[in-house]
Amino acid sequence: MQKLNEKSVKDALKLLNFHQQKKFGFFCIDRVIHLYEDVDSRINISEMDKKLKDGDAYDTIKSIYEILKKKSSISLEELIDLRNKSDSLILDTDNIYESTTENVIAKIVAECLYTFLNFMITSEIDYIFDCARLVIDIINAQISDYYFLNVCKNEDKCNHFLETLFDNEYAIELQAIKFLSENNYNKLSSLLEETFISANPVITIENLRKTSFSSIFCRVI
């Protein structure tokens, strides 16, 4: 089912023009960038990049993203520079930082921004699709740990529940693409508010469950 969902999203994205695809990238990142906000309370970013000071990680990712959103035209040189900066924010959870759920999620958020910058530089559809895929990875990293540790010890049931959440997310992404194809940015903004991914996994689950795009309802606790 996941492969079918991925294909549906990718095929739908191909029908959008570059401007609409870029809007979709913003839609993806808008929903997850706040998950990087508390990263400086856990790590010292200068341990990974000496050009950055302790406490600069979130301000750096926020400034990169604000530039992308505010500037209607950005030179290739500036985009490459922003991509290099975003690369320095992808946490090395293998060798430097603890591989906690929070750090892994922050790592994926930075990867999403990096991938979006690759799209801006190359215009290749695979990169904008990867933004959608990385949101799924974030949900997986956040919910699988929470659900298995706190709700259900049965791995098969946990995986089934995760699949229902992924189905919800793919439905949201397809709805966003539909709104973009219609240039309906008001509905897109409304969808963004309805599908906010919280730092609290319980709220993320509830936000995904309550959407009108799925008839599947599961008890969380």
Side-chain angles (χ1 to χ4, degrees):
M1 180 64 76
Q2 185 162 341
K3 290 295 182 184
L4 181 61
N5 282 326
E6 287 181 356
K7 185 177 186 305
S8 296
V9 170
K10 193 167 187 177
D11 288 347
L13 282 170
K14 289 177 181 177
L15 301 177
L16 301 181
N17 60 38
F18 174 82
H19 177 72
Q20 291 166 333
Q21 290 169 351
K22 185 170 85 168
K23 287 278 189 182
F24 179 77
F26 285 138
F27 173 78
C28 290
I29 299 173
D30 279 343
R31 297 169 64 217
V32 300
I33 190 136
H34 64 286
L35 297 173
Y36 203 92
E37 190 170 6
D38 66 345
V39 70
D40 293 301
S41 68
R42 300 189 305 275
I43 62 106
N44 178 350
I45 195 64
S46 67
E47 293 175 356
M48 197 170 70
D49 189 333
K50 300 302 181 185
K51 296 177 183 176
L52 296 171
K53 297 178 182 178
D54 183 18
D56 278 359
Y58 179 65
D59 284 344
T60 303
I61 200 169
K62 185 171 65 172
S63 67
I64 293 170
Y65 194 47
E66 286 176 351
I67 289 170
L68 291 174
K69 295 200 82 173
K70 289 179 179 178
K71 282 194 173 184
S72 57
S73 178
I74 308 178
S75 70
L76 178 60
E77 182 180 3
E78 186 174 4
L79 285 171
I80 291 173
D81 180 59
L82 292 174
R83 183 180 63 179
N84 290 339
K85 287 181 181 177
S86 70
D87 187 32
S88 70
L89 300 172
I90 300 173
L91 305 191
D92 182 350
T93 56
D94 293 324
N95 302 304
I96 299 177
Y97 307 115
E98 285 187 88
S99 184
T100 62
T101 301
E102 293 80 9
N103 283 349
V104 169
I105 290 170
K107 174 183 180 179
I108 300 172
V109 171
E111 287 175 343
C112 194
L113 180 62
Y114 179 87
T115 297
F116 181 67
L117 280 157
N118 275 332
F119 166 75
M120 293 289 290
I121 291 168
T122 67
S123 302
E124 291 182 13
I125 188 69
D126 283 348
Y127 288 123
I128 204 66
F129 168 71
D130 279 345
C131 289
R133 182 185 57 78
L134 286 166
V135 175
I136 293 287
D137 288 348
I138 288 169
I139 294 171
N140 183 41
Q142 182 189 53
I143 304 304
S144 59
D145 283 353
Y146 165 78
Y147 197 73
F148 188 75
L149 291 173
N150 297 284
V151 181
C152 180
K153 304 297 183 183
N154 184 297
E155 187 173 353
D156 289 339
K157 288 183 178 180
C158 182
N159 288 336
H160 176 71
F161 180 69
L162 284 169
E163 286 298 323
T164 67
L165 293 182
F166 298 159
D167 288 345
N168 261 350
E169 172 57 25
Y170 284 119
I172 290 165
E173 291 173 0
L174 286 169
Q175 190 68 37
I177 293 169
K178 179 177 183 293
F179 290 153
L180 284 164
S181 69
E182 299 166 347
N183 293 317
N184 195 331
Y185 300 124
N186 288 333
K187 284 189 176 180
L188 183 69
S189 296
S190 175
L191 182 60
L192 181 64
E193 293 171 5
E194 292 174 7
T195 61
F196 202 77
I197 297 174
S198 171
N200 182 333
V202 176
I203 296 176
T204 296
I205 292 169
E206 289 301 319
N207 283 343
L208 289 170
R209 282 178 57 208
K210 74 184 180 183
T211 101
S212 60
F213 311 120
S214 174
S215 59
I216 299 170
F217 294 92
C218 302
R219 286 189 62 81
V220 179
I221 53 176

